Amino acid sequence: MSVLALCLAGPLQAWGSSARFARRTTENVPTKSGVLGMLAAAQGRDRAADVSDLAELRFGVRVDQRGTRIRDFQTAHHTETGNAMPVSERFYLADAVFVAGVEGDGDLIAALHRAVRSPVYLPYLGRRSCPPSRPVDIGAFDGTDAVLEDVFRSVEWQAAEHHRRRRSGERRVALPVFMDAAEGDREKNSRRDLPVSFDPRHRRYALRDVKADTVEVPNPTHRAPAAPSHHDPMPPLGGD
Amino acid sequence: MYLTRFRVNTARVGARKLLSSPQSLHAAVMGGFPGILPSAGGSPRVLWRLDRNARAEVLLYVVSPDKPDLTHLVEDAGWPTLPEVGWETRDYMPFLDRLAVGDVWGFRLTANPVHSVRVEGKEDKEKHDTKPTPHVTPRHQMRWLLQREERSGFQVVRKAAEQERLPDGDDCELVVWGAQRLRFRKTGSAERAGGRGASDVRLTTVTFDGRLQVTDPAKLRHTLTAGLGRAKAYGCGLMTLAPVASAGATQRRSA
């Protein structure tokens, strides 16, 4: 098994799993359909192409910096005709950083890694107006026992400098992870973001079971909290 | 002038009462000076500060024109039967007279950094009033001290450029810690003010630790004996100096 790790960081991201019509919502973490769509686009696959091989990959996300949800009330006009576009309400995650990983067969992961490094269609973070602010590629991890959980534990904390400084009191930080649930997992939620077809005429998604967990990673900006230093004003005054 | 140190026995009920209220502690400190009338003006005054170094090591420092008698404090919040653990008073003047330009000392100061904010007058909309408002961020609190260094006769030692760890506001050997928001009612004033919240005292106090260089010994002497900033009755404004090794206190902390 191999794992491909991606850094999803940008000023705005939007990962809708149930967004319809004029109200375009976002989940709190990237969706499997969004990330797989990005990989398929990097490979240059057609919209109507088969993505069943990608859908079989085991998927997970680590939340490195949660970000904030913002709402945009959009009243756009067509640039050429000047006609008003439908008024829409768009939700975004601002200033969030995620590490997404896909685990699967070594050849497929290697092919995806090559595609991410020289993509046919440029990657974006869930919505085309949301470009990534850093290189998406973190790296591919090979080996017979490269599993998602270990990669999430070994990849360095990707949060922005100002965010890390805010948590500089913690030696290790606990980051939430959301993974594809296995058969026996009890505590899970389902989400409709497993792509069956990205065909624009008939997009189809299946339900996917998600399991929430946390991993601990070292905090590179850790500093011991300020403690009072030794201060003794009496000795310079001499004896009495 | 005299510098006095008193160690508080934190396990005692009397100590808890004193430590929980700056007003009763001030009264207890002033009770050690029978010669000072409550209304006496003039520049040398009694300053005090509490250093909470550890749970069981709480030290009360007092700077005063006369030698204090803290017997009542020992009885209430000390170790009355032990001969050693009372208080020690040392003559401050020889030390103050020895201060010279260029000396480097470690210092500690607990203060109440405030700035004036204009507020609209209640009765007259045209008339504006100012109100002392506490600085709440360490950055502003540091700036408050740095704005006073020249007239107080010292300069906080500046760091070498390679020791700075932050892009901004990290150029001095100075740390701020132990911020406390105090709120208490002046006893006796409640009846006078009709029992309303207006007589509540609200204070934000912080402790500065760092290294300083003496620039004007006379001004620094005045700072050390008359205090710096507001709320001197509530344990603010007393600065003390202590010898430091060549590596500063702030460096040792960040290691």
Side-chain angles (χ1 to χ4, degrees):
Chain A
M1 286 293 176
S2 300
V3 173
L4 175 64
L6 306 168
C7 177
L8 305 175
L12 291 176
Q13 318 195 12
W15 305 96
S17 71
S18 59
R20 294 288 179 271
F21 310 114
R23 185 177 161 89
R24 315 301 302 185
T25 52
T26 176
E27 302 292 317
N28 290 332
V29 297
T31 53
K32 187 166 184 176
S33 55
V35 175
L36 294 188
M38 185 168 101
L39 293 174
Q43 285 190 316
R45 294 195 196 190
D46 195 69
R47 275 283 189 178
D50 176 40
V51 287
S52 56
D53 56 336
L54 297 180
E56 274 170 28
L57 294 170
R58 191 160 163 254
F59 174 76
V61 213
R62 190 179 80 184
V63 183
D64 283 31
Q65 183 177 328
R66 205 158 45 135
T68 49
R69 186 189 292 250
I70 58 172
R71 169 180 173 269
D72 175 35
F73 183 68
Q74 185 171 320
T75 59
H77 286 76
H78 197 280
T79 44
E80 278 160 26
T81 63
N83 291 339
M85 306 297 281
V87 164
S88 66
E89 199 180 11
R90 283 154 193 268
F91 290 86
Y92 296 89
L93 291 179
D95 208 21
V97 180
F98 303 100
V99 172
V102 285
E103 177 194 314
D105 172 62
D107 292 340
L108 178 56
I109 293 295
L112 290 174
H113 191 214
R114 276 196 305 277
V116 165
R117 293 169 72 108
S118 71
V120 177
Y121 301 110
L122 290 179
Y124 52 83
L125 306 176
R127 197 170 285 160
R128 198 142 344 146
S129 56
C130 304
S133 59
R134 303 183 213 165
V136 165
D137 175 38
I138 290 178
F141 299 80
D142 299 320
T144 48
D145 53 339
V147 287
L148 220 39
E149 286 88 345
D150 295 340
V151 170
F152 283 153
R153 272 185 213 107
S154 65
V155 170
E156 197 192 332
W157 192 22
Q158 302 285 322
E161 182 67 37
H162 67 88
H163 184 84
R164 290 196 206 183
R165 213 183 298 144
R166 211 176 301 157
R167 297 179 70 173
S168 62
E170 299 166 61
R171 190 181 300 277
R172 295 174 71 78
V173 287
L175 304 175
V177 288
F178 297 91
M179 319 269 291
D180 281 354
E183 284 294 317
D185 289 330
R186 289 250 195 86
E187 308 229 338
K188 55 194 180 188
N189 287 303
S190 55
R191 194 179 287 176
R192 190 170 286 280
D193 69 345
L194 184 64
V196 178
S197 166
F198 285 125
D199 189 336
R201 283 163 303 178
H202 187 43
R203 293 172 201 196
R204 275 178 298 146
Y205 304 96
L207 281 173
R208 173 175 74 103
D209 285 336
V210 183
K211 181 184 66 167
D213 206 348
T214 52
V215 293
E216 280 200 352
V217 294
N219 182 354
T221 50
H222 171 70
R223 261 180 42 205
S229 61
H230 181 71
H231 180 87
D232 187 359
M234 299 312 261
L237 274 54
D240 43 358
Chain B
M1 299 300 293
Y2 296 90
L3 178 63
T4 304
R5 175 164 67 188
F6 173 83
R7 185 164 168 216
V8 181
N9 183 350
T10 51
R12 299 192 60 184
V13 176
R16 292 180 188 186
K17 200 175 149 198
L18 289 175
L19 296 181
S20 64
S21 158
Q23 203 191 0
S24 23
L25 188 51
H26 178 69
V29 170
M30 296 313 286
F33 302 95
I36 295 184
L37 294 173
S39 58
S43 64
R45 58 174 293 167
V46 177
L47 297 170
W48 59 271
R49 184 182 79 213
L50 263 188
D51 279 10
R52 296 167 194 257
N53 296 336
R55 184 186 291 235
E57 191 189 321
V58 176
L59 302 171
L60 171 70
Y61 287 99
V62 180
V63 166
S64 55
D66 305 318
K67 270 195 174 184
D69 178 359
L70 300 181
T71 315
H72 62 297
L73 265 182
V74 177
E75 284 165 356
D76 273 356
W79 285 266
T81 58
L82 293 183
E84 292 296 315
V85 200
W87 70 91
E88 55 177 324
T89 298
R90 304 240 175 112
D91 194 354
Y92 211 7
M93 285 323 281
F95 171 76
L96 293 175
D97 290 335
R98 272 205 316 275
L99 288 175
V101 175
D103 284 358
V104 174
W105 293 95
F107 72 90
R108 179 172 288 179
L109 163 73
T110 296
N112 170 226
V114 293
H115 58 132
S116 290
V117 168
R118 274 172 66 133
V119 288
E120 264 180 35
K122 267 183 197 142
E123 293 81 27
D124 188 358
K125 283 269 191 287
E126 299 291 304
K127 212 173 107 188
H128 291 278
D129 228 340
T130 59
K131 182 183 169 201
T133 308
H135 284 301
V136 289
T137 68
R139 197 175 162 160
H140 286 102
Q141 288 158 350
M142 281 191 188
R143 202 169 63 194
W144 175 89
L145 182 65
L146 296 177
Q147 280 167 350
R148 276 152 187 81
E149 56 180 10
E150 198 190 331
R151 71 180 105 123
S152 304
F154 64 88
Q155 191 191 31
V156 177
V157 175
R158 299 299 192 259
K159 275 185 194 170
E162 65 270 15
Q163 289 178 329
E164 291 180 34
R165 281 147 196 268
L166 301 176
D168 192 14
D170 184 34
D171 53 347
C172 298
E173 296 210 8
L174 177 64
V175 286
V176 187
W177 59 279
Q180 276 192 302
R181 287 187 182 206
L182 305 172
R183 182 175 172 175
F184 52 91
R185 174 158 296 184
K186 272 186 164 177
T187 40
S189 66
E191 303 90 74
R192 260 180 275 138
R196 303 296 299 273
S199 63
D200 276 5
V201 179
R202 293 169 198 218
L203 286 179
T204 296
T205 69
V206 291
T207 301
F208 296 96
D209 266 353
R211 285 208 298 159
L212 62 76
Q213 191 162 28
V214 181
T215 54
D216 185 332
K219 282 184 187 166
L220 183 58
R221 230 168 273 146
H222 184 259
T223 303
L224 295 176
T225 54
L228 189 58
R230 294 164 50 94
K232 296 186 183 101
Y234 301 124
C236 292
L238 170 57
M239 178 189 263
T240 50
L241 304 182
V244 279
S246 55
T250 53
Q251 269 177 294
R252 190 166 60 239
R253 178 158 319 146
S254 57

